[in-house]
Amino acid sequence: MKNAVIYARYSSDKQTEQSIEGQLRVCNEYAERNGLAIVDTYIDRATTGTNDNRPAFQKMLADSDKPVIWDIVLVYAIDRFGRNAIEIAVNKQRLRKNKKTLISATQRTSDNIDGTRNLDGILLENVYIGLAEYYSAELAQKVKRGLKENRSKGLYTGGSLTYGYKVENKHVLIDEDQASVVNEIFNMYANGWMAREIIDYLHSRGISYNGKPFLYNAIYNLLHNKKYIGIYEVNDEVFKNIYPQIVPSELFEIVQRRLIHNKLGQKSKETVFLLKGKVFCGYCGKHINGDSGTSHTGKKKYYYNCANRKKNKNNCKKKAIPKDELEQIVLDMAMDLFTSKVNLDIICDEIMRVHEKNTTEQSVLHLLQAEKAKAEKSMKNILTAIEEGIINATTKSRMIELEAQIDELNAKILAEEYKLQNGIKREDVMEYLTHSVRDLSPHVLIDVMVHRIELYDDEIVVWFNYSDRINPYDPDTDSRDFILREIYSVTVTVKHIVAKKKF
């Protein structure tokens, strides 16, 4: 008598334990008729078969790698084992390697209980697998079609419910208590409140977010959510008949503009503040932000103003400074950096150090080689599937895709190896720093060179280093752009080049 285990699975919460009970009953009856002793069961509940990321399934495969007392995996039908042709073939091959056999209680399979091959079962098994994969794809289309139909009728289709709404009879309605909180948050943000201040205010009033305290993510997700103006976007489609509008459209647009402004940090509606995010008050240590005002002639003027002083003039004595004046001072100091041979040597040495470190590590090359190895492993899995007799439109399409991917990776690896063999030279870097950097736009120059600015009424202190943001790799760039990319990657951590200037 051979020992066997049963693997059972059902797909969704709409199915029940009765599905599992039925599979176990049929499998046990089959085992009794065929002289099999069931020694264990592996069960996945409410788990899809379109991939093999299933806890019980993976445990069964892992156990098959060990010295266990069972020889057979018994399933109700092949589609319980899986609905993906390639993964079925790979996982069957793993069982076979471990001298284990997959048997169906209701369908002919390619292997018999005694380990011999079943010729007509080879053909039938592939038919079952193809039908299972077809059924899965067809079911997905039907589900999508049904969801779209319900949405077109204005019906709620499930999922987490957005704060401010409730559901009755499959229709989304406004929760008046929560909606008033939503409108209050939008108005506060539009009037200049920061997320931290809004959160503190809500906490002080004992207002919670679905039973939990409001956090930053909840505030920002709420402020971005178009459902509050009656727009629901899903699968590149827009539905305007599901969520009733809570927030006035004009208020929503004001908030979106402010969110963009705060995200970019350096931009406002009317102008660009080149230094915003880099300037700090020398007296109180708070951020110095972009600000504006209107003169008696009606002309708009722009300043850098201490956030602490703006909130309460008695908190800080730092005076506002005209935007153009401060930016020109910093730009002049940045350009002066390149007139000093000592500074140029420090910068050049640091660039070469980082470049040589990157060249030694060959991180990009390693990543490309790892990606190629992964693609080659996937190709090997497909070839295993073909050896199992599984070849259809899916396997053919995937094989073509992987072949193209491997060819592309080979080309990138060659390009990277060539780049490593033809690295930059110190004289090239010095030439670039001496001449080409001067042609950079003010925005790029400050972004790359300026680390921090401390501002007093009579003095400015600037820490110059090099941005820790790495410019995206572009194999088509020329040598000058390549040097600039190295400048982007340099970060002086031991010491900064500090420049001071009296007003």
Side-chain angles (χ1 to χ4, degrees):
M1 177 178 287
K2 286 194 173 186
N3 293 332
V5 295
I6 297 175
Y7 175 74
R9 175 188 64 82
Y10 66 85
S11 299
S12 70
D13 291 324
K14 293 181 180 180
Q15 295 173 303
T16 66
E17 285 291 335
Q18 293 178 356
S19 173
I20 293 294
E21 290 173 3
Q23 293 177 49
L24 294 178
R25 177 177 54 78
V26 173
C27 287
N28 277 304
E29 290 174 353
Y30 178 90
E32 187 176 349
R33 290 195 309 270
N34 291 274
L36 297 177
I38 304 300
V39 296
D40 204 352
T41 58
Y42 299 86
I43 300 173
D44 280 312
R45 295 173 171 84
T47 308
T48 179
T50 55
N51 63 66
D52 58 9
N53 295 325
R54 295 166 260 151
F57 185 81
Q58 288 299 325
K59 186 176 187 309
M60 180 267 293
L61 291 177
D63 287 348
S64 76
D65 295 333
K66 306 170 186 176
V68 289
I69 61 172
W70 50 270
D71 307 298
I72 292 173
V73 176
L74 183 61
V75 294
Y76 172 79
I78 296 296
D79 64 359
R80 300 302 87 192
F81 191 77
R83 292 185 182 275
N84 183 299
I86 294 175
E87 287 186 351
I88 289 175
V90 172
N91 292 324
K92 271 195 63 181
Q93 182 64 24
R94 181 173 174 181
L95 291 177
R96 183 173 293 166
K97 180 181 177 183
N98 295 328
K99 300 188 182 336
K100 306 294 185 289
T101 304
L102 176 65
I103 298 294
S104 167
T106 60
Q107 297 169 334
R108 297 274 282 177
T109 52
S110 57
D111 293 306
N112 295 312
I113 292 176
D114 61 5
T116 60
R117 298 288 280 172
N118 185 0
L119 297 182
D120 62 330
I122 295 174
L123 178 61
L124 289 171
E125 184 177 303
N126 282 284
V127 171
Y128 299 144
I129 292 171
L131 288 172
E133 192 164 13
Y134 170 80
Y135 169 78
S136 180
E138 183 188 37
L139 180 61
Q141 286 185 349
K142 286 181 178 179
V143 170
K144 289 180 180 178
R145 190 161 56 244
L147 291 173
K148 182 178 179 180
E149 182 66 22
N150 285 338
R151 289 175 186 136
S152 67
K153 294 177 181 178
L155 301 178
Y156 177 64
T157 55
S160 58
L161 190 61
T162 301
Y163 185 87
Y165 295 101
K166 59 185 178 180
V167 175
E168 292 181 7
N169 298 322
K170 294 188 178 181
H171 285 86
V172 179
L173 305 176
I174 294 176
D175 183 316
E176 296 297 341
D177 291 337
Q178 292 185 357
S180 65
V181 176
V182 171
N183 267 306
E184 194 169 11
I185 291 173
F186 269 86
N187 277 292
M188 292 169 73
Y189 194 82
N191 288 322
W193 288 55
M194 301 303 292
R196 178 71 266 169
E197 296 170 326
I198 295 174
I199 290 172
D200 291 342
Y201 170 77
L202 295 172
H203 287 178
S204 69
R205 290 184 54 194
I207 298 173
S208 64
Y209 180 76
N210 297 328
K212 299 178 181 179
F214 271 91
L215 300 176
Y216 281 100
N217 284 346
I219 294 293
Y220 284 115
N221 288 339
L222 185 148
L223 292 172
H224 281 99
N225 201 327
K226 292 184 179 180
K227 293 174 185 175
Y228 293 125
I229 54 173
I231 296 175
Y232 178 38
E233 297 176 338
V234 59
N235 297 331
D236 298 324
E237 293 184 290
V238 177
F239 299 89
K240 298 183 178 181
N241 59 340
I242 300 176
Y243 288 86
Q245 186 167 353
I246 291 178
V247 177
S249 300
E250 298 80 5
L251 175 59
F252 188 85
E253 288 303 319
I254 291 171
V255 168
Q256 301 317 299
R257 287 196 294 270
R258 186 157 188 263
L259 285 168
I260 293 173
H261 164 75
N262 289 341
K263 181 179 179 181
L264 296 177
Q266 293 176 326
K267 294 186 179 179
S268 71
K269 184 178 178 181
E270 301 90 356
T271 190
V272 175
F273 289 90
L274 296 179
L275 306 178
K276 192 171 180 183
K278 296 178 181 286
V279 193
F280 297 83
C281 179
Y283 301 109
C284 69
K286 298 293 185 181
H287 274 285
I288 290 183
N289 299 324
D291 199 1
S292 65
T294 305
S295 68
H296 67 280
T297 62
K299 183 179 179 181
K300 195 87 168 182
K301 294 188 176 182
Y302 301 98
Y303 304 89
Y304 282 96
N305 201 3
C306 176
N308 198 15
R309 178 178 173 83
K310 184 177 180 180
K311 191 174 183 180
N312 187 337
K313 290 187 178 181
N314 296 325
N315 287 344
C316 184
K317 67 176 185 177
K318 178 72 190 77
K319 299 176 183 177
I321 182 171
K323 168 186 176 297
D324 292 341
E325 178 182 338
L326 179 59
E327 289 175 355
Q328 191 58 55
I329 289 172
V330 175
L331 284 170
D332 289 343
M333 293 175 72
M335 294 312 301
D336 288 343
L337 193 67
F338 293 98
T339 63
S340 167
K341 180 67 167 60
V342 174
N343 288 339
L344 286 177
D345 282 336
I346 293 173
I347 298 169
C348 189
D349 289 343
E350 185 63 20
I351 291 172
M352 293 306 300
R353 182 190 69 78
V354 173
H355 173 65
E356 289 168 5
K357 179 175 179 290
N358 291 340
T359 300
T360 302
E361 293 177 350
Q362 300 180 9
S363 56
V364 175
L365 182 59
H366 287 163
L367 287 173
L368 291 172
Q369 289 171 336
E371 194 173 347
K372 179 185 174 184
K374 185 178 178 181
E376 288 176 339
K377 183 178 179 181
S378 297
M379 177 68 79
K380 184 178 179 181
N381 288 340
I382 289 181
L383 293 175
T384 300
I386 292 173
E387 289 175 357
E388 288 288 322
I390 300 173
I391 181 165
N392 51 32
T394 302
T395 55
K396 184 177 180 181
S397 173
R398 180 60 176 154
M399 180 180 290
I400 293 172
E401 178 186 332
L402 285 170
E403 286 176 345
Q405 182 183 354
I406 291 171
D407 288 341
E408 182 181 355
L409 287 169
N410 282 331
K412 287 184 177 180
I413 288 171
L414 286 174
E416 189 64 23
E417 288 174 342
Y418 177 81
K419 188 188 79 171
L420 292 172
Q421 294 170 2
N422 296 273
I424 59 173
K425 298 178 181 178
R426 193 179 192 281
E427 53 265 31
D428 296 330
V429 177
M430 185 63 76
E431 172 68 19
Y432 185 84
L433 292 174
T434 307
H435 299 96
S436 301
V437 168
R438 297 173 183 271
D439 298 329
L440 296 175
S441 68
H443 174 78
V444 173
L445 185 63
I446 288 175
D447 193 41
V448 172
M449 301 299 300
V450 177
H451 171 68
R452 177 186 172 93
I453 301 169
E454 273 190 11
L455 192 59
Y456 302 83
D457 286 336
D458 59 350
E459 184 181 52
I460 179 173
V461 182
V462 182
W463 280 261
F464 289 102
N465 72 343
Y466 309 98
S467 174
D468 59 358
R469 288 175 294 172
I470 300 175
N471 209 27
Y473 171 70
D474 182 357
D476 296 327
T477 54
D478 61 24
S479 60
R480 289 187 170 188
D481 290 329
F482 179 72
I483 295 171
L484 178 59
R485 187 168 68 249
E486 293 298 320
I487 294 175
Y488 267 100
S489 69
V490 172
T491 303
V492 179
T493 55
V494 179
K495 62 179 180 179
H496 300 275
I497 301 173
V498 183
K500 297 183 180 180
K501 186 172 184 177
K502 294 286 185 180
F503 293 150

